[in-house]
């Protein structure tokens, strides 16, 4: 008689062994598990709700894979890409360049869980995570490769993380740290719990919705297929948090607080402009702030409180940044457009500006006046005055430009000196992150540090662009050819 899944499942996913020829600590060193200070038996309580078998996993994934491929092939034959808005295409290129190789980093992280996670159930679930992330990488590369015939910028899906482009360096500093440089416990709390349960919903759910509205069924389908797996990865975070909270709650709070702020800054750069400026106005569902309030403030915060975590100490400043951070980054991305591998959408036509003022009542006061100066220069034929001549100062933790975390009214310098070197920060929060583990961040060199140190030659903007791997065929420009500024030509206020 064949056994049912209920007869063998618990044994198969909880299979462990007693070592006879080596100490357990040698097979599972604390430097890799992250379980130091937590009793070995505490991990017996680690539990996840999915209860999936390998046979069922393969069947479901094969069906999902077939569905994505069938839709992709049909849409390529229909030539749907040529009908997409230029600003939406730019958003997809930004996403593919900055996220595809993060999926590959996650393969390595899940592999570490498979080998070193302190619970056999966690190691078992890690196998499915490893296979998921491999599929996500391959799906994203396949999607981008098929679009190379339309635009060589899609090559950056594979190329970006092998360059020194500044936005890539900023993203890599976060994902290298929490996925490749962290032990299992920290990687799980920072990546699975904070990033995948919280912020990846914004990137994959919100952008999938906007992509569908913009007519990009192919990309929307890709994002949705990936998101269905992210939900399973996120579940690794809750039982891990439960165990750590029972034995070292201060550590759990610190890991989540640091990861939450660093992730919020990256997503202000990646998702904020895409939702508030790149998505065509008539296709927008929600603003970036509205989505953050619903998916982060309302849902993620409630879940964390259920497990005994407190709000991060900087919560009020985080909420304040939702009114400003993505707008500051958008202004910087557009101004420094030659340093990007995607075109940038200004997103400030009169109708778009009315939408921004409706969603963000302080937008005009904080950011409209700066765009007015840009508009005046464009309409006067001085495009050169809307382009950078040097590099911005960068934060020693987030690697993002100073002055882009809050409003332009809050630009007080934040810095500290360690071993004779001055470190600058985009906020008091980033400085606090640095102070938690200064040895972790002190050796990081920003693009500006490398410029001053002579790594970039010649020491001018063309030299920096060459060092970043940017060539004229991919260098960013305005998606609309500055036509959006013409409607302000006779407006005396702009």
């Amino acid at each position: 008689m064949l056994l049912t899944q209920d007869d063998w499942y618990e044994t198969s996913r909880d299979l462990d062994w007693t070592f006879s020829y080596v100490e357990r600590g040698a097979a599972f060193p604390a430097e890799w598990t992250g379980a130091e200070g937590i009793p070995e038996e505490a991990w017996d309580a680690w539990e996840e709700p999915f209860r999936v078998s390998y046979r069922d996993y393969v069947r479901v994934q094969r069906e999902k894979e077939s569905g994505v491929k069938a839709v992709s092939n049909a849409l390529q034959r229909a030539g749907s890409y040529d009908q997409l808005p230029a600003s939406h295409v730019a958003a997809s290129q930004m996403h593919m360049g900055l996220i595809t190789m993060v999926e590959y980093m996650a393969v390595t992280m899940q592999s570490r869980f498979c080998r070193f996670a302190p619970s056999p159930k966690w190691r078992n679930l890690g196998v499915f995570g490893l296979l998921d992330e491999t599929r996500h990488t391959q799906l994203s590369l396949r999607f981008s490769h098929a679009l190379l015939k339309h635009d060589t910028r899609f090559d950056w899906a594979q190329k970006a993380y092998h360059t020194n482009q500044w936005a890539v360096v900023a993203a890599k500093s976060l994902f290298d740290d929490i996925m490749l440089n962290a032990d299992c416990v920290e990687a799980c709390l920072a990546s699975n719990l904070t990033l995948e349960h919280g912020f990846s919903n914004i990137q994959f759910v919100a952008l999938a919705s906007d992509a569908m509205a913009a007519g990009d069924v192919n990309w929307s389908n890709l994002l949705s297929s990936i998101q269905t797996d992210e939900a399973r990865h996120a579940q690794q975070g809750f039982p891990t948090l439960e165990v750590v909270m029972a034995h070292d709650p201060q550590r759990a709070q610190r890991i989540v607080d640091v990861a939450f702020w660093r992730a919020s800054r990256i997503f202000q750069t990646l998702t904020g402009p895409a939702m508030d400026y790149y998505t065509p106005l008539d296709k927008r569902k929600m603003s970036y702030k509205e989505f953050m309030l619903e998916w982060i403030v309302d849902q993620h915060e409630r879940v964390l409180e259920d497990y005994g975590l407190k709000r991060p100490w900087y919560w009020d400043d985080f909420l304040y940044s939702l009114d400003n951070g993505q707008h500051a980054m958008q202004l910087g991305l557009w101004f420094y457009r030659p340093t990007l591998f995607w075109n940038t959408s200004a997103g400030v036509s009169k109708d778009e500006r009315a939408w921004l003022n409706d969603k963000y009542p302080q937008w005009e006061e904080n950011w409209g006046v700066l765009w007015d100066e840009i508009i005046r220069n464009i309409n006067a034929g001085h495009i050169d005055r809307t382009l950078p001549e040097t590099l911005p100062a960068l934060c020693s933790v987030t690697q993002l430009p100073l002055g882009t975390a809050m409003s332009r009214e809050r630009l007080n310098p934040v810095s500290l000196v360690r071993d004779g070197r001055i470190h600058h920060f985009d906020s008091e929060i980033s400085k606090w992150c640095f102070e938690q583990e200064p040895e972790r961040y002190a050796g990081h060199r920003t693009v500006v540090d490398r410029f001053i140190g002579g790594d970039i030659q010649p020491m001018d903007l063309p030299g920096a662009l060459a060092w970043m791997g940017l060539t004229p065929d991919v260098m960013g420009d305005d998606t609309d050819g500055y036509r959006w500024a013409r409607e302000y030509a006779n407006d005396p206020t702009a």
Side-chain angles (χ1 to χ4, degrees):
M1 182 178 69
L2 289 175
L3 297 175
T4 67
Q5 180 169 318
D6 287 340
D7 293 328
W8 53 260
Y9 186 76
E10 287 300 327
T11 300
S12 68
R13 73 177 184 138
D14 202 17
L15 182 63
D16 207 352
W17 57 92
T18 301
F19 297 103
S20 59
Y21 56 90
V22 66
E23 295 293 327
R24 188 172 184 83
F28 291 94
E31 293 84 355
W32 288 100
T33 65
E36 187 171 10
I38 300 175
E40 186 179 328
E41 60 273 17
W43 295 101
D44 293 342
W46 199 97
E47 194 60 73
E48 50 84 16
F50 278 89
R51 299 176 60 82
V52 62
S53 69
Y54 181 73
R55 180 170 58 187
D56 289 340
Y57 171 85
V58 170
R59 177 180 56 78
V60 172
Q61 297 302 91
R62 184 172 64 83
E63 291 171 357
K64 285 198 293 188
E65 188 78 5
S66 299
V68 171
K69 191 172 182 179
V71 171
S72 177
N73 290 341
L75 291 171
Q76 286 179 40
R77 289 194 297 271
S80 60
Y81 176 87
D82 296 329
Q83 302 166 28
L84 296 175
S87 59
H88 171 78
V89 170
S92 69
Q93 291 168 342
M94 174 170 58
H95 171 94
M96 302 313 293
L98 293 175
I99 293 298
T100 298
M101 284 299 112
V102 176
E103 304 283 10
Y104 193 61
M105 289 182 186
V107 173
T108 301
M109 181 185 72
Q110 293 287 349
S111 301
R112 187 177 309 128
F113 295 166
C114 295
R115 171 60 182 85
F116 292 108
S119 159
K121 295 175 186 175
W122 184 358
R123 295 196 291 272
N124 180 64
L125 196 61
V127 174
F128 300 122
L130 161 67
L131 295 171
D132 287 342
E133 302 294 3
T134 303
R135 188 178 81 91
H136 300 171
T137 307
Q138 294 173 338
L139 264 180
S140 299
L141 289 174
R142 178 183 180 275
F143 172 89
S144 298
H145 184 265
L147 295 176
L148 274 176
K149 60 188 176 187
H150 298 285
D151 195 327
T152 55
R153 291 184 177 89
F154 283 103
D155 191 32
W156 281 63
Q158 184 174 37
K159 176 182 178 180
Y161 279 68
H162 301 288
T163 74
N164 295 308
Q165 197 275 332
W166 68 268
V168 174
V169 170
K172 191 159 55 173
S173 74
L174 169 65
F175 296 118
D176 268 358
D177 203 21
I178 66 175
M179 289 183 170
L180 304 184
N181 189 44
D183 57 54
C184 291
V185 167
E186 181 179 1
C188 188
L189 295 184
S191 299
N192 300 120
L193 181 72
T194 307
L195 200 69
E196 291 188 313
H197 180 262
F199 291 93
S200 69
N201 281 323
I202 300 173
Q203 188 65 17
F204 289 96
V205 176
L207 278 189
S209 175
D210 285 349
M212 182 63 76
D216 194 351
V217 179
N218 195 13
W219 192 37
S220 177
N221 202 34
L222 168 75
L223 294 171
S224 297
S225 180
I226 290 175
Q227 178 58 23
T228 57
D229 293 333
E230 302 290 352
R232 181 172 52 248
H233 306 163
Q235 292 301 322
Q236 296 178 65
F238 296 114
T240 305
L241 175 63
E242 195 167 354
V243 172
V244 180
M245 285 295 289
H247 298 276
D248 195 351
Q250 290 81 12
R251 183 187 178 203
Q253 185 79 53
R254 176 179 54 78
I255 292 173
V256 173
D257 287 359
V258 170
F260 186 88
W261 174 249
R262 295 186 66 192
S264 75
R265 292 288 290 131
I266 285 297
F267 281 85
Q268 273 182 339
T269 307
L270 179 61
T271 319
M275 292 186 70
D276 285 350
Y277 294 89
Y278 286 49
T279 300
L281 184 59
D282 61 337
K283 309 300 182 186
R284 293 177 195 173
K285 304 287 187 185
M286 302 170 74
S287 71
Y288 175 72
K289 177 184 177 182
E290 289 171 336
F291 206 93
M292 285 289 290
L293 290 175
E294 179 174 332
W295 287 81
I296 301 295
V297 175
D298 290 347
Q299 294 188 29
H300 190 60
E301 179 199 21
R302 186 167 56 245
V303 169
L304 296 184
E305 288 182 346
D306 287 344
Y307 282 85
L309 280 173
K310 301 174 184 174
R311 285 178 174 178
W313 64 270
Y314 52 76
W315 194 249
D316 289 344
D317 282 340
F318 161 69
L319 294 178
Y320 182 81
S321 77
L322 295 181
D323 277 317
N324 296 285
Q326 66 276 21
H327 304 307
M329 284 306 310
Q330 164 65 6
L331 193 64
L333 290 172
W334 191 88
F335 186 72
Y336 281 91
R337 55 198 182 281
T339 69
L340 307 177
F341 58 85
W342 67 91
N343 286 330
T344 56
S345 169
V348 290
S349 67
K350 288 190 174 181
D351 287 343
E352 290 167 323
R353 201 159 169 160
W355 182 87
L356 287 164
N357 280 309
D358 178 57
K359 298 296 182 182
Y360 304 95
Q362 302 300 315
W363 186 90
E364 194 68 41
E365 177 183 343
N366 281 326
W367 310 108
V369 62
L370 301 178
W371 280 106
D372 284 341
E373 184 65 22
I374 289 172
I375 291 167
R376 277 192 288 271
N377 279 314
I378 293 174
N379 285 328
H382 299 310
I383 297 294
D384 57 310
R385 296 181 184 175
T386 71
L387 291 167
E389 295 182 351
T390 185
L391 299 171
L394 300 173
C395 175
S396 287
V397 170
T398 65
Q399 305 283 315
L400 294 172
L402 305 186
T404 59
M406 303 293 171
S407 77
R408 68 187 185 92
E409 306 298 333
R410 291 177 57 172
L411 296 177
N412 295 335
V414 182
S415 62
L416 62 76
V417 178
R418 186 178 191 275
D419 295 334
R421 178 185 170 190
I422 302 175
H423 296 274
H424 299 283
F425 305 97
D426 59 16
S427 62
E428 290 287 352
I429 308 169
S430 292
K431 179 185 176 187
W432 173 82
C433 293
F434 184 96
E435 291 170 333
Q436 302 310 298
E437 294 180 278
E439 66 282 356
R440 187 169 197 159
Y441 306 104
H444 293 185
R445 300 170 70 211
T446 68
V447 172
V448 174
D449 291 330
R450 300 176 204 202
F451 184 83
I452 295 173
D455 293 7
I456 300 172
Q457 297 293 338
M459 293 182 69
D460 53 21
L461 192 59
L465 296 176
W467 181 76
M468 292 182 196
L470 290 159
T471 50
D473 59 318
V474 300
M475 208 175 289
D477 202 348
D478 186 87
T479 55
D480 197 40
Y482 310 102
R483 287 184 291 274
W484 55 272
R486 293 176 188 166
E487 61 180 337
Y488 293 93
N490 298 317
D491 189 339
T493 63

